[in-house]
Amino acid sequence: MNTKTLMYILKRIALAILTVWVVITVTFFVTRAVPGGPFMSEKAISKEAQAALEAKYGLDKPVMEQYFTYLKDVVTKLDFGPSLKLRGRMVMDVIADGMKTSVKLGLIAAFLALALGIVLGSVAALRRNTLLDKGIMVVATAFVSMPSFIMGTLLLLLFAVHWPIFPANGSTAEGLVLPIITLSLYPMAYITRLTRSSMLDVLGQDYIRTARAKGVAPLKIIFGHALKNSLIPVITYFGPMLAYIVTGSLVVEQIFAVPGIGRAFVSSITNRDYPLIMGTTIVLACLIVIMNLVSDILYKVVDPRITLE
Amino acid sequence: MKKKIFSMHVDVDDFIPATEEEKAYMVQMRPSTTFFKDGMKRLMKNKIAATSMFLIIIITLSSILIPFFWPYKYDKMLGNTPGKPMDSSYNNLAPFQYGETEQKRIANGEKVFPHIFGTDAQGRDYFIRVVYGTRISLAVGFFASIIVLIIGLTVGSISGYIGGKVDIIIMRIVDIIYSLPDTLMVILLASVMKVSLGALLEGTILEKLGTNMVSLFLVFGLLYWVSMARLIRGQILSLREQEYVLAAQATGAKAGWIIRKHLLPNCISVVIISTALQIPSAIFTESYLSFLGLGVNAPMPSLGSLASDALNGINSYAYRLIIPAVVISLIVLSLNLFGDGLRDAFDPKLKN
């Protein structure tokens, strides 16, 4: 690794840290901008009770002081304060609880999408312009155009209501099958398209022709020479894929009643539980920013030909 | 006769009238095509893109025109006549069924316009709700893209043309906004603005649109312009070095004039293509937010909120979910394919 790459990585990390700070700041001030404060939606309460509540949550102090306390707590202790609506629970506990299910869901979906997407994309590229290729591409294009909530509800309709193969409730292990499929279909379709085009690109390269001319076995060309290089663009999709899975899980967990972080987030919005909204936004945003960072750096490290800006 | 190079001698042969044969060379075989015509021709040759365009035009026109002559209104609860108790026979009608009073009218020989998709749980004609929802979704997609276009165009061209410190500062801001997780920020902003905008909007024209709609547009204006700005900046940066810009500068043209008259027209195809591709993603986002209850305000329907409402009755009224789902997928798919076709037809750099 030369100094230029190192500089790029340092610059990229600095940008990521800056982004996380912007997320925390924006989240803080945007939620503080709600008129009347977070307790406005409550039923009419006496002035004293209101003051007591605000004192308890530190809302009586000046905004800047609240901001710096919040920032310090988040950065040093990962402490997002107590939840407003879930009595006696800390925001971080709610998030950690939700994460247990959501991480499982997301990881399996991502793995499924990668494995199937790469296989389907390579098959389509190797059988270029055949019926198989066209079929795969049509299905992939259709899936890319379908919002996750449509995909989820249609799967629910087909495989839980019409043919009750899987339970509609996602709180059990079998119940997670449909949410996982829903979440993986879009990234799978995307990776299929990505792999196909980059595989076609690689197969046209000179070194593949050289390998063929030398008489290397076709399978060895595909796995030893072509596949490795055609997967480089897929690395760039890691970040966006995670972002898609995170945001997709918001609705998918809602549809299938999966007890994950996505559902906690959505219900915190309807309940106007501001500390929980802030906490989940920040945690999920950090996840996405970190994943983007990792995939960007990996991309540059794996392919040294890429020019660094 | 030998001609001296520096003499003023004129070759008389140059002045002989052209023969018919020579004239034939000068005849235009076919009218010269403009860039636009050329692109359109290529677009029409692309069957997938042409079909998608046709589909989009049909969907758009019908979503605009049908509400004008359709006998039902999107927010009219049919069982609800003033001064009479609620007639629940109108709720949850299956397609092509009629409510009680309507059946009496049919028995009397009157003609009653059918409820093609039936009615919803509150007795509203579902067909017109889908049509109206399509209209709203398309309008949101279109206007959001226009907002993105205007902001991106302005910032991108200023940043690209002026360069220097201004460019560096703008591009750092763009970098940060670009790396923000957009959907999460959209949800956060939409969920908060929904509450805080209400008082601000009271009494203005925007109030009719609803707070959710306004916050949606605001969010698009705040977050989604960055990729457009980047694109335009890149274009302007390369165009800025062209000779005709130097010529314009030499004759004393001002920066605004050069940007408007010379630079922007030259990146117009890139702008149109990315705006066209922005529309489906805006529709996507709107339907996503509507599904989470952060989209348009009730009783106004959008395709996302229709799908979300249908989720409650999914066991008995599955078609109510399938109809908006199909419409939204069709719109997004055809817009995407059309955008791809536009890119192939109008972006000469990608031509093979």
Side-chain angles (χ1 to χ4, degrees), chain B residues 38-85:
Chain B
D38 191 37
M40 281 312 278
K41 213 172 94 194
R42 248 175 285 145
L43 186 66
M44 285 307 150
K45 261 191 199 157
N46 183 344
K47 268 185 211 137
I48 296 174
T51 320
S52 315
M53 191 172 88
F54 187 62
L55 248 173
I56 297 165
I57 292 174
I58 287 184
I59 293 176
T60 314
L61 282 183
S62 49
S63 76
I64 295 172
L65 296 178
I66 287 177
F68 283 118
F69 61 81
W70 205 257
Y72 306 111
K73 290 272 168 291
Y74 75 92
D75 55 351
K76 171 88 177 100
M77 298 174 196
L78 295 169
N80 197 357
T81 26
K84 281 184 190 167

Side-chain angles (χ1 to χ4, degrees), chain A residues 12 19 27 59 67 71 79 84 100 110 135 151 158 170 193 220 252 265 288:
Chain A
R12 200 58 196 71
T19 311
T27 323
L59 294 173
Y67 168 67
L71 195 63
D79 178 12
L84 280 187
K100 275 179 209 149
M151 208 110 72
L158 285 177
R193 284 159 53 115
K220 206 174 167 197
V252 170
F265 188 38
I288 294 173

